[in-house]
Amino acid sequence: MSYKIKKIKERYFYAFIFFIVILYFWQFFTKFFHIPEYILPAPSQIAVSFQKSSGIFLKHTLVTSGEIISGFIIGATLGVVLAIFISASKILLKTIYPLIISVQSLPKLALAPLFVIWFGFGVLPKIIITALVVFFPVMINTIKGLFSVSSDLLDFMKSLRASKSQILFKIQIPFSLPYLFTGLKISSTLAVVGAIIGEFVGADKGLGYLIMISSTNLNTSYMFVALILLAVIGLLLFGLIGLLERVILPWHIIDNE
């Protein structure tokens, strides 16, 4: 246990020191050159803005967090399920897979207004956009993992008269888990982007809405607080997935350390 704690301290110590150094020079730069707050607020001014309006930020953070988590769960689930079906069917691989790639190539910012027209200004369009952003990396990585099983191992299982479901659940899915977690980690940061795209297009609450209102009023401190909170949400989601990976795949983590 003490060894693991030591490893964690070593891993994040330098990042923490680097973060403190950046804040120090940021504060010095803005004060020394007398940069107006509406252009670049100092870290101290950002902290004061957060302290004065912490209740407002908390309310909008909860809205955006709900959109991110809901969209992430839906998108990841659909990505895994569809990856299993596509890997098991050559027909789906040749028909649905190219269609999904073509849809994925469309910019989500262009699709967002269409979802607002279809589903209104509530949280549903934001969740759908987030799910779309999350869906593709999870599906692609899961498919790659399912196809990563060696042909020799598959032939051996077939020689033992294993059924397709047995091969899938006992061989292919376990082999695909490292790829799946890679896709989940990538999608955890993209989920934040998806939710904000949806809020930029049409929303009356959320951190994306707060950023738009703050930019209109040239309240740059509020914008920075919202951006920092978005970064924290992304880091927490990424860290949660990493923790889950350590629990489910400890052998994979050990091999990569």
Side-chain angles (χ1 to χ4, degrees), residues 1-56:
M1 181 64 70
S2 59
Y3 173 76
K4 290 183 178 181
I5 294 175
K6 183 179 179 181
K7 291 287 288 184
I8 293 174
K9 288 182 178 179
E10 291 177 353
R11 180 174 300 173
Y12 297 108
F13 175 75
Y14 294 107
F16 176 75
I17 294 299
F18 183 66
F19 177 71
I20 296 299
V21 171
I22 289 177
L23 288 181
Y24 174 80
F25 280 103
W26 183 356
Q27 181 77 21
F28 172 80
F29 180 80
T30 53
K31 295 300 182 182
F32 184 80
F33 291 101
H34 304 287
I35 297 177
E37 183 178 354
Y38 70 90
I39 295 178
L40 181 64
S44 58
Q45 294 170 326
I46 297 173
V48 169
S49 295
F50 175 74
Q51 183 180 10
K52 288 182 177 179
S53 305
S54 57
I56 295 175

Tab-separated table of all heavy atoms in Angstrom, residues 1-56:
chain	number	residue	atom	x	y	z
A	1	MET	N	0.825	-1.206	0.000
A	1	MET	CA	0.000	0.000	0.000
A	1	MET	C	0.864	1.262	0.000
A	1	MET	O	0.599	2.218	-0.718
A	1	MET	CB	-0.928	-0.007	1.213
A	1	MET	CG	-1.859	1.201	1.282
A	1	MET	SD	-3.024	1.269	-0.100
A	1	MET	CE	-4.064	-0.140	0.329
A	2	SER	N	1.919	1.262	0.833
A	2	SER	CA	2.803	2.423	0.885
A	2	SER	C	3.522	2.628	-0.436
A	2	SER	O	3.780	3.766	-0.851
A	2	SER	CB	3.828	2.245	2.008
A	2	SER	OG	4.606	1.070	1.787
A	3	TYR	N	3.831	1.511	-1.140
A	3	TYR	CA	4.477	1.613	-2.443
A	3	TYR	C	3.551	2.279	-3.451
A	3	TYR	O	3.975	3.127	-4.245
A	3	TYR	CB	4.878	0.220	-2.936
A	3	TYR	CG	5.395	0.194	-4.349
A	3	TYR	CD1	6.677	0.648	-4.654
A	3	TYR	CD2	4.592	-0.269	-5.389
A	3	TYR	CE1	7.149	0.642	-5.951
A	3	TYR	CE2	5.063	-0.282	-6.697
A	3	TYR	CZ	6.345	0.165	-6.964
A	3	TYR	OH	6.805	0.152	-8.255
A	4	LYS	N	2.261	1.906	-3.426
A	4	LYS	CA	1.296	2.507	-4.351
A	4	LYS	C	1.127	3.996	-4.067
A	4	LYS	O	1.025	4.807	-4.995
A	4	LYS	CB	-0.049	1.795	-4.237
A	4	LYS	CG	-0.034	0.370	-4.796
A	4	LYS	CD	-1.419	-0.237	-4.720
A	4	LYS	CE	-1.430	-1.645	-5.325
A	4	LYS	NZ	-2.781	-2.257	-5.276
A	5	ILE	N	1.071	4.361	-2.775
A	5	ILE	CA	0.930	5.773	-2.421
A	5	ILE	C	2.143	6.562	-2.903
A	5	ILE	O	2.015	7.678	-3.416
A	5	ILE	CB	0.760	5.921	-0.890
A	5	ILE	CG1	-0.563	5.290	-0.451
A	5	ILE	CG2	0.814	7.383	-0.481
A	5	ILE	CD1	-0.775	5.285	1.037
A	6	LYS	N	3.321	5.954	-2.769
A	6	LYS	CA	4.543	6.607	-3.232
A	6	LYS	C	4.517	6.813	-4.737
A	6	LYS	O	4.914	7.867	-5.242
A	6	LYS	CB	5.760	5.769	-2.828
A	6	LYS	CG	7.089	6.409	-3.210
A	6	LYS	CD	8.260	5.542	-2.757
A	6	LYS	CE	9.587	6.185	-3.169
A	6	LYS	NZ	10.743	5.355	-2.757
A	7	LYS	N	4.028	5.810	-5.469
A	7	LYS	CA	3.932	5.916	-6.924
A	7	LYS	C	2.968	7.029	-7.328
A	7	LYS	O	3.227	7.778	-8.268
A	7	LYS	CB	3.470	4.589	-7.512
A	7	LYS	CG	4.478	3.454	-7.412
A	7	LYS	CD	5.619	3.645	-8.381
A	7	LYS	CE	5.174	3.411	-9.800
A	7	LYS	NZ	6.295	3.494	-10.761
A	8	ILE	N	1.843	7.139	-6.601
A	8	ILE	CA	0.864	8.184	-6.897
A	8	ILE	C	1.463	9.567	-6.633
A	8	ILE	O	1.286	10.499	-7.433
A	8	ILE	CB	-0.408	7.980	-6.052
A	8	ILE	CG1	-1.131	6.703	-6.496
A	8	ILE	CG2	-1.335	9.181	-6.175
A	8	ILE	CD1	-2.300	6.338	-5.629
A	9	LYS	N	2.200	9.718	-5.543
A	9	LYS	CA	2.826	10.991	-5.224
A	9	LYS	C	3.840	11.376	-6.294
A	9	LYS	O	3.908	12.534	-6.728
A	9	LYS	CB	3.503	10.915	-3.853
A	9	LYS	CG	2.531	10.882	-2.682
A	9	LYS	CD	3.282	10.848	-1.363
A	9	LYS	CE	2.314	10.871	-0.186
A	9	LYS	NZ	3.025	10.815	1.108
A	10	GLU	N	4.638	10.392	-6.731
A	10	GLU	CA	5.640	10.675	-7.757
A	10	GLU	C	4.976	11.047	-9.077
A	10	GLU	O	5.478	11.901	-9.818
A	10	GLU	CB	6.540	9.453	-7.954
A	10	GLU	CG	7.460	9.170	-6.782
A	10	GLU	CD	8.282	7.918	-6.997
A	10	GLU	OE1	8.038	7.206	-8.011
A	10	GLU	OE2	9.162	7.628	-6.173
A	11	ARG	N	3.847	10.435	-9.368
A	11	ARG	CA	3.182	10.662	-10.647
A	11	ARG	C	2.597	12.055	-10.735
A	11	ARG	O	2.624	12.685	-11.801
A	11	ARG	CB	2.081	9.615	-10.840
A	11	ARG	CG	1.309	9.749	-12.143
A	11	ARG	CD	0.360	8.596	-12.314
A	11	ARG	NE	1.047	7.326	-12.350
A	11	ARG	CZ	0.438	6.136	-12.354
A	11	ARG	NH1	-0.874	6.080	-12.302
A	11	ARG	NH2	1.144	5.032	-12.390
A	12	TYR	N	2.042	12.592	-9.638
A	12	TYR	CA	1.329	13.858	-9.682
A	12	TYR	C	2.097	15.019	-9.049
A	12	TYR	O	1.644	16.158	-9.140
A	12	TYR	CB	-0.030	13.715	-8.988
A	12	TYR	CG	-0.941	12.728	-9.688
A	12	TYR	CD1	-1.212	11.499	-9.116
A	12	TYR	CD2	-1.510	13.039	-10.917
A	12	TYR	CE1	-2.045	10.585	-9.758
A	12	TYR	CE2	-2.341	12.142	-11.562
A	12	TYR	CZ	-2.604	10.918	-10.976
A	12	TYR	OH	-3.420	10.024	-11.616
A	13	PHE	N	3.240	14.736	-8.439
A	13	PHE	CA	3.981	15.790	-7.753
A	13	PHE	C	4.476	16.834	-8.745
A	13	PHE	O	4.277	18.044	-8.557
A	13	PHE	CB	5.153	15.192	-6.974
A	13	PHE	CG	6.043	16.219	-6.341
A	13	PHE	CD1	5.636	16.902	-5.207
A	13	PHE	CD2	7.281	16.523	-6.894
A	13	PHE	CE1	6.451	17.860	-4.624
A	13	PHE	CE2	8.096	17.474	-6.317
A	13	PHE	CZ	7.686	18.139	-5.184
A	14	TYR	N	5.123	16.394	-9.817
A	14	TYR	CA	5.692	17.328	-10.781
A	14	TYR	C	4.605	18.098	-11.520
A	14	TYR	O	4.779	19.278	-11.847
A	14	TYR	CB	6.580	16.581	-11.773
A	14	TYR	CG	7.813	15.989	-11.138
A	14	TYR	CD1	7.929	14.619	-10.934
A	14	TYR	CD2	8.859	16.810	-10.712
A	14	TYR	CE1	9.045	14.070	-10.344
A	14	TYR	CE2	9.992	16.272	-10.105
A	14	TYR	CZ	10.081	14.910	-9.921
A	14	TYR	OH	11.192	14.374	-9.325
A	15	ALA	N	3.486	17.436	-11.794
A	15	ALA	CA	2.370	18.133	-12.436
A	15	ALA	C	1.828	19.236	-11.532
A	15	ALA	O	1.490	20.335	-12.000
A	15	ALA	CB	1.261	17.141	-12.785
A	16	PHE	N	1.748	18.952	-10.232
A	16	PHE	CA	1.262	19.945	-9.282
A	16	PHE	C	2.213	21.136	-9.198
A	16	PHE	O	1.773	22.296	-9.206
A	16	PHE	CB	1.096	19.301	-7.900
A	16	PHE	CG	0.680	20.256	-6.819
A	16	PHE	CD1	-0.624	20.727	-6.756
A	16	PHE	CD2	1.595	20.697	-5.883
A	16	PHE	CE1	-1.010	21.619	-5.769
A	16	PHE	CE2	1.219	21.586	-4.888
A	16	PHE	CZ	-0.090	22.046	-4.833
A	17	ILE	N	3.510	20.861	-9.138
A	17	ILE	CA	4.501	21.937	-9.070
A	17	ILE	C	4.444	22.788	-10.334
A	17	ILE	O	4.499	24.024	-10.280
A	17	ILE	CB	5.916	21.353	-8.880
A	17	ILE	CG1	6.028	20.660	-7.511
A	17	ILE	CG2	6.972	22.448	-8.997
A	17	ILE	CD1	5.798	21.563	-6.332
A	18	PHE	N	4.313	22.130	-11.480
A	18	PHE	CA	4.228	22.859	-12.748
A	18	PHE	C	2.993	23.743	-12.785
A	18	PHE	O	3.040	24.887	-13.264
A	18	PHE	CB	4.213	21.862	-13.905
A	18	PHE	CG	4.200	22.491	-15.262
A	18	PHE	CD1	5.283	23.230	-15.716
A	18	PHE	CD2	3.094	22.361	-16.083
A	18	PHE	CE1	5.269	23.831	-16.962
A	18	PHE	CE2	3.069	22.951	-17.330
A	18	PHE	CZ	4.161	23.695	-17.777
A	19	PHE	N	1.892	23.251	-12.251
A	19	PHE	CA	0.652	24.024	-12.193
A	19	PHE	C	0.826	25.258	-11.313
A	19	PHE	O	0.370	26.359	-11.678
A	19	PHE	CB	-0.473	23.135	-11.666
A	19	PHE	CG	-1.787	23.839	-11.499
A	19	PHE	CD1	-2.533	24.225	-12.598
A	19	PHE	CD2	-2.277	24.119	-10.225
A	19	PHE	CE1	-3.746	24.879	-12.450
A	19	PHE	CE2	-3.482	24.773	-10.063
A	19	PHE	CZ	-4.219	25.158	-11.176
A	20	ILE	N	1.463	25.113	-10.185
A	20	ILE	CA	1.692	26.244	-9.281
A	20	ILE	C	2.584	27.287	-9.941
A	20	ILE	O	2.347	28.501	-9.826
A	20	ILE	CB	2.322	25.753	-7.961
A	20	ILE	CG1	1.352	24.832	-7.204
A	20	ILE	CG2	2.728	26.933	-7.085
A	20	ILE	CD1	0.059	25.495	-6.807
A	21	VAL	N	3.607	26.834	-10.664
A	21	VAL	CA	4.512	27.756	-11.351
A	21	VAL	C	3.757	28.550	-12.413
A	21	VAL	O	3.953	29.767	-12.559
A	21	VAL	CB	5.688	26.982	-11.981
A	21	VAL	CG1	6.505	27.898	-12.889
A	21	VAL	CG2	6.574	26.402	-10.896
A	22	ILE	N	2.879	27.875	-13.158
A	22	ILE	CA	2.084	28.572	-14.179
A	22	ILE	C	1.197	29.640	-13.538
A	22	ILE	O	1.097	30.777	-14.042
A	22	ILE	CB	1.222	27.554	-14.957
A	22	ILE	CG1	2.112	26.698	-15.855
A	22	ILE	CG2	0.173	28.284	-15.803
A	22	ILE	CD1	1.358	25.628	-16.606
A	23	LEU	N	0.543	29.305	-12.430
A	23	LEU	CA	-0.311	30.279	-11.746
A	23	LEU	C	0.501	31.485	-11.264
A	23	LEU	O	0.048	32.639	-11.366
A	23	LEU	CB	-1.009	29.615	-10.553
A	23	LEU	CG	-2.128	28.621	-10.864
A	23	LEU	CD1	-2.714	28.074	-9.567
A	23	LEU	CD2	-3.226	29.276	-11.700
A	24	TYR	N	1.685	31.214	-10.766
A	24	TYR	CA	2.528	32.299	-10.253
A	24	TYR	C	2.909	33.256	-11.372
A	24	TYR	O	2.764	34.492	-11.233
A	24	TYR	CB	3.782	31.716	-9.605
A	24	TYR	CG	4.784	32.757	-9.179
A	24	TYR	CD1	4.624	33.476	-7.997
A	24	TYR	CD2	5.897	33.044	-9.981
A	24	TYR	CE1	5.544	34.450	-7.615
A	24	TYR	CE2	6.814	34.003	-9.610
A	24	TYR	CZ	6.639	34.708	-8.426
A	24	TYR	OH	7.550	35.667	-8.058
A	25	PHE	N	3.377	32.714	-12.494
A	25	PHE	CA	3.774	33.581	-13.604
A	25	PHE	C	2.570	34.266	-14.258
A	25	PHE	O	2.676	35.395	-14.744
A	25	PHE	CB	4.556	32.774	-14.650
A	25	PHE	CG	5.992	32.562	-14.284
A	25	PHE	CD1	6.436	31.355	-13.794
A	25	PHE	CD2	6.906	33.604	-14.410
A	25	PHE	CE1	7.757	31.164	-13.444
A	25	PHE	CE2	8.239	33.432	-14.060
A	25	PHE	CZ	8.672	32.210	-13.572
A	26	TRP	N	1.447	33.594	-14.255
A	26	TRP	CA	0.212	34.199	-14.765
A	26	TRP	C	-0.168	35.422	-13.923
A	26	TRP	O	-0.480	36.488	-14.463
A	26	TRP	CB	-0.883	33.139	-14.747
A	26	TRP	CG	-2.202	33.548	-15.293
A	26	TRP	CD1	-2.580	34.790	-15.739
A	26	TRP	CD2	-3.355	32.719	-15.451
A	26	TRP	NE1	-3.888	34.788	-16.157
A	26	TRP	CE2	-4.383	33.521	-15.995
A	26	TRP	CE3	-3.621	31.376	-15.190
A	26	TRP	CZ2	-5.650	33.014	-16.263
A	26	TRP	CZ3	-4.875	30.872	-15.465
A	26	TRP	CH2	-5.875	31.673	-16.003
A	27	GLN	N	-0.131	35.260	-12.609
A	27	GLN	CA	-0.444	36.360	-11.705
A	27	GLN	C	0.553	37.505	-11.884
A	27	GLN	O	0.160	38.684	-11.970
A	27	GLN	CB	-0.411	35.855	-10.254
A	27	GLN	CG	-0.744	36.896	-9.208
A	27	GLN	CD	-2.235	37.186	-9.118
A	27	GLN	OE1	-3.049	36.381	-9.543
A	27	GLN	NE2	-2.591	38.342	-8.568
A	28	PHE	N	1.826	37.174	-11.951
A	28	PHE	CA	2.880	38.187	-12.114
A	28	PHE	C	2.722	38.914	-13.445
A	28	PHE	O	2.826	40.151	-13.514
A	28	PHE	CB	4.250	37.514	-12.030
A	28	PHE	CG	5.388	38.431	-12.384
A	28	PHE	CD1	5.883	39.343	-11.448
A	28	PHE	CD2	5.967	38.390	-13.647
A	28	PHE	CE1	6.920	40.201	-11.789
A	28	PHE	CE2	7.008	39.239	-13.978
A	28	PHE	CZ	7.483	40.143	-13.056
A	29	PHE	N	2.453	38.174	-14.514
A	29	PHE	CA	2.340	38.751	-15.850
A	29	PHE	C	1.198	39.759	-15.929
A	29	PHE	O	1.370	40.872	-16.454
A	29	PHE	CB	2.134	37.627	-16.870
A	29	PHE	CG	2.006	38.099	-18.281
A	29	PHE	CD1	3.121	38.433	-19.026
A	29	PHE	CD2	0.756	38.207	-18.873
A	29	PHE	CE1	3.005	38.876	-20.334
A	29	PHE	CE2	0.623	38.645	-20.184
A	29	PHE	CZ	1.753	38.986	-20.916
A	30	THR	N	0.037	39.392	-15.417
A	30	THR	CA	-1.128	40.288	-15.504
A	30	THR	C	-0.960	41.528	-14.633
A	30	THR	O	-1.399	42.619	-15.027
A	30	THR	CB	-2.401	39.542	-15.082
A	30	THR	OG1	-2.201	38.946	-13.785
A	30	THR	CG2	-2.747	38.452	-16.083
A	31	LYS	N	-0.328	41.382	-13.482
A	31	LYS	CA	-0.157	42.537	-12.586
A	31	LYS	C	0.984	43.441	-13.058
A	31	LYS	O	0.866	44.674	-13.008
A	31	LYS	CB	0.113	42.053	-11.155
A	31	LYS	CG	-1.042	41.294	-10.523
A	31	LYS	CD	-2.298	42.149	-10.438
A	31	LYS	CE	-3.433	41.381	-9.759
A	31	LYS	NZ	-4.675	42.194	-9.711
A	32	PHE	N	2.063	42.854	-13.524
A	32	PHE	CA	3.231	43.645	-13.922
A	32	PHE	C	2.929	44.486	-15.165
A	32	PHE	O	3.350	45.641	-15.260
A	32	PHE	CB	4.416	42.721	-14.192
A	32	PHE	CG	5.683	43.447	-14.517
A	32	PHE	CD1	6.474	43.994	-13.513
A	32	PHE	CD2	6.085	43.599	-15.845
A	32	PHE	CE1	7.644	44.678	-13.821
A	32	PHE	CE2	7.250	44.282	-16.154
A	32	PHE	CZ	8.033	44.821	-15.141
A	33	PHE	N	2.201	43.912	-16.116
A	33	PHE	CA	1.894	44.627	-17.358
A	33	PHE	C	0.523	45.316	-17.325
A	33	PHE	O	0.087	45.856	-18.339
A	33	PHE	CB	1.944	43.654	-18.537
A	33	PHE	CG	3.330	43.161	-18.847
A	33	PHE	CD1	3.732	41.906	-18.414
A	33	PHE	CD2	4.230	43.953	-19.544
A	33	PHE	CE1	5.015	41.442	-18.693
A	33	PHE	CE2	5.502	43.496	-19.822
A	33	PHE	CZ	5.904	42.239	-19.395
A	34	HIS	N	-0.139	45.284	-16.167
A	34	HIS	CA	-1.422	45.978	-15.970
A	34	HIS	C	-2.438	45.602	-17.052
A	34	HIS	O	-3.063	46.460	-17.688
A	34	HIS	CB	-1.216	47.499	-15.957
A	34	HIS	CG	-0.233	47.969	-14.943
A	34	HIS	ND1	-0.504	47.980	-13.583
A	34	HIS	CD2	1.051	48.412	-15.085
A	34	HIS	CE1	0.546	48.437	-12.930
A	34	HIS	NE2	1.510	48.696	-13.801
A	35	ILE	N	-2.592	44.311	-17.268
A	35	ILE	CA	-3.523	43.815	-18.283
A	35	ILE	C	-4.942	43.936	-17.752
A	35	ILE	O	-5.232	43.496	-16.628
A	35	ILE	CB	-3.201	42.353	-18.638
A	35	ILE	CG1	-1.798	42.288	-19.244
A	35	ILE	CG2	-4.231	41.783	-19.619
A	35	ILE	CD1	-1.352	40.888	-19.575
A	36	PRO	N	-5.843	44.534	-18.521
A	36	PRO	CA	-7.239	44.688	-18.050
A	36	PRO	C	-7.891	43.325	-17.786
A	36	PRO	O	-7.589	42.341	-18.467
A	36	PRO	CB	-7.930	45.410	-19.216
A	36	PRO	CG	-6.828	46.074	-19.964
A	36	PRO	CD	-5.631	45.187	-19.817
A	37	GLU	N	-8.790	43.319	-16.832
A	37	GLU	CA	-9.430	42.061	-16.443
A	37	GLU	C	-10.256	41.474	-17.578
A	37	GLU	O	-10.345	40.249	-17.715
A	37	GLU	CB	-10.316	42.294	-15.217
A	37	GLU	CG	-10.973	41.021	-14.694
A	37	GLU	CD	-11.811	41.270	-13.461
A	37	GLU	OE1	-11.780	42.410	-12.951
A	37	GLU	OE2	-12.509	40.333	-13.012
A	38	TYR	N	-10.857	42.335	-18.420
A	38	TYR	CA	-11.703	41.796	-19.488
A	38	TYR	C	-10.884	41.119	-20.594
A	38	TYR	O	-11.428	40.387	-21.415
A	38	TYR	CB	-12.572	42.904	-20.082
A	38	TYR	CG	-11.844	43.946	-20.902
A	38	TYR	CD1	-11.669	43.767	-22.273
A	38	TYR	CD2	-11.336	45.101	-20.315
A	38	TYR	CE1	-11.000	44.719	-23.035
A	38	TYR	CE2	-10.677	46.052	-21.072
A	38	TYR	CZ	-10.511	45.853	-22.423
A	38	TYR	OH	-9.849	46.799	-23.175
A	39	ILE	N	-9.563	41.363	-20.619
A	39	ILE	CA	-8.694	40.699	-21.591
A	39	ILE	C	-8.117	39.412	-20.995
A	39	ILE	O	-8.242	38.332	-21.579
A	39	ILE	CB	-7.556	41.630	-22.056
A	39	ILE	CG1	-8.135	42.814	-22.832
A	39	ILE	CG2	-6.550	40.864	-22.919
A	39	ILE	CD1	-7.093	43.813	-23.301
A	40	LEU	N	-7.478	39.525	-19.861
A	40	LEU	CA	-6.910	38.349	-19.187
A	40	LEU	C	-6.927	38.590	-17.685
A	40	LEU	O	-6.069	39.290	-17.149
A	40	LEU	CB	-5.478	38.078	-19.665
A	40	LEU	CG	-4.794	36.859	-19.039
A	40	LEU	CD1	-5.528	35.571	-19.440
A	40	LEU	CD2	-3.328	36.780	-19.449
A	41	PRO	N	-7.887	38.018	-16.976
A	41	PRO	CA	-7.939	38.208	-15.524
A	41	PRO	C	-6.836	37.423	-14.830
A	41	PRO	O	-6.409	36.363	-15.301
A	41	PRO	CB	-9.318	37.652	-15.158
A	41	PRO	CG	-9.618	36.653	-16.223
A	41	PRO	CD	-8.980	37.177	-17.478
A	42	ALA	N	-6.388	37.952	-13.725
A	42	ALA	CA	-5.391	37.252	-12.916
A	42	ALA	C	-6.046	36.086	-12.183
A	42	ALA	O	-7.262	36.092	-11.960
A	42	ALA	CB	-4.763	38.226	-11.913
A	43	PRO	N	-5.267	35.075	-11.812
A	43	PRO	CA	-5.839	33.955	-11.048
A	43	PRO	C	-6.557	34.396	-9.784
A	43	PRO	O	-7.585	33.811	-9.414
A	43	PRO	CB	-4.610	33.099	-10.719
A	43	PRO	CG	-3.645	33.390	-11.809
A	43	PRO	CD	-3.853	34.832	-12.154
A	44	SER	N	-6.046	35.434	-9.128
A	44	SER	CA	-6.710	35.932	-7.920
A	44	SER	C	-8.083	36.502	-8.243
A	44	SER	O	-9.040	36.318	-7.480
A	44	SER	CB	-5.841	37.000	-7.260
A	44	SER	OG	-5.581	38.076	-8.151
A	45	GLN	N	-8.231	37.179	-9.378
A	45	GLN	CA	-9.525	37.729	-9.780
A	45	GLN	C	-10.511	36.618	-10.139
A	45	GLN	O	-11.707	36.716	-9.851
A	45	GLN	CB	-9.336	38.667	-10.979
A	45	GLN	CG	-8.541	39.927	-10.647
A	45	GLN	CD	-8.156	40.716	-11.883
A	45	GLN	OE1	-7.889	40.146	-12.940
A	45	GLN	NE2	-8.110	42.041	-11.754
A	46	ILE	N	-9.998	35.560	-10.756
A	46	ILE	CA	-10.841	34.408	-11.084
A	46	ILE	C	-11.345	33.748	-9.806
A	46	ILE	O	-12.517	33.367	-9.703
A	46	ILE	CB	-10.062	33.407	-11.946
A	46	ILE	CG1	-9.679	34.051	-13.287
A	46	ILE	CG2	-10.876	32.139	-12.179
A	46	ILE	CD1	-8.758	33.192	-14.125
A	47	ALA	N	-10.450	33.623	-8.815
A	47	ALA	CA	-10.841	33.017	-7.545
A	47	ALA	C	-11.904	33.851	-6.841
A	47	ALA	O	-12.851	33.309	-6.255
A	47	ALA	CB	-9.608	32.852	-6.657
A	48	VAL	N	-11.774	35.174	-6.905
A	48	VAL	CA	-12.760	36.054	-6.272
A	48	VAL	C	-14.116	35.919	-6.960
A	48	VAL	O	-15.170	35.874	-6.307
A	48	VAL	CB	-12.272	37.516	-6.319
A	48	VAL	CG1	-13.392	38.473	-5.905
A	48	VAL	CG2	-11.065	37.700	-5.415
A	49	SER	N	-14.115	35.831	-8.288
A	49	SER	CA	-15.367	35.668	-9.034
A	49	SER	C	-16.065	34.371	-8.650
A	49	SER	O	-17.288	34.336	-8.484
A	49	SER	CB	-15.087	35.689	-10.537
A	49	SER	OG	-14.588	36.947	-10.940
A	50	PHE	N	-15.286	33.317	-8.503
A	50	PHE	CA	-15.868	32.038	-8.109
A	50	PHE	C	-16.439	32.101	-6.696
A	50	PHE	O	-17.522	31.570	-6.423
A	50	PHE	CB	-14.822	30.935	-8.208
A	50	PHE	CG	-15.311	29.598	-7.711
A	50	PHE	CD1	-16.198	28.843	-8.467
A	50	PHE	CD2	-14.895	29.093	-6.487
A	50	PHE	CE1	-16.660	27.619	-8.017
A	50	PHE	CE2	-15.346	27.872	-6.033
A	50	PHE	CZ	-16.235	27.133	-6.803
A	51	GLN	N	-15.715	32.756	-5.802
A	51	GLN	CA	-16.171	32.843	-4.418
A	51	GLN	C	-17.463	33.644	-4.311
A	51	GLN	O	-18.380	33.274	-3.572
A	51	GLN	CB	-15.075	33.483	-3.562
A	51	GLN	CG	-15.421	33.561	-2.081
A	51	GLN	CD	-14.307	34.206	-1.268
A	51	GLN	OE1	-13.360	34.757	-1.828
A	51	GLN	NE2	-14.416	34.156	0.041
A	52	LYS	N	-17.580	34.728	-5.074
A	52	LYS	CA	-18.765	35.583	-4.999
A	52	LYS	C	-20.001	34.920	-5.589
A	52	LYS	O	-21.118	35.178	-5.144
A	52	LYS	CB	-18.490	36.903	-5.735
A	52	LYS	CG	-17.532	37.832	-5.005
A	52	LYS	CD	-17.366	39.136	-5.780
A	52	LYS	CE	-16.459	40.112	-5.020
A	52	LYS	NZ	-16.268	41.382	-5.774
A	53	SER	N	-19.807	34.076	-6.611
A	53	SER	CA	-20.955	33.483	-7.313
A	53	SER	C	-20.881	31.965	-7.326
A	53	SER	O	-21.254	31.326	-8.310
A	53	SER	CB	-21.014	34.015	-8.753
A	53	SER	OG	-21.031	35.415	-8.786
A	54	SER	N	-20.416	31.375	-6.245
A	54	SER	CA	-20.240	29.921	-6.201
A	54	SER	C	-21.567	29.178	-6.373
A	54	SER	O	-21.621	28.114	-6.987
A	54	SER	CB	-19.572	29.508	-4.882
A	54	SER	OG	-20.346	29.958	-3.770
A	55	GLY	N	-22.645	29.751	-5.850
A	55	GLY	CA	-23.954	29.101	-5.987
A	55	GLY	C	-24.409	29.028	-7.439
A	55	GLY	O	-24.942	28.006	-7.890
A	56	ILE	N	-24.175	30.115	-8.178
A	56	ILE	CA	-24.550	30.144	-9.604
A	56	ILE	C	-23.727	29.124	-10.381
A	56	ILE	O	-24.255	28.368	-11.212
A	56	ILE	CB	-24.339	31.562	-10.182
A	56	ILE	CG1	-25.287	32.552	-9.513
A	56	ILE	CG2	-24.542	31.565	-11.696
A	56	ILE	CD1	-25.058	33.994	-9.938
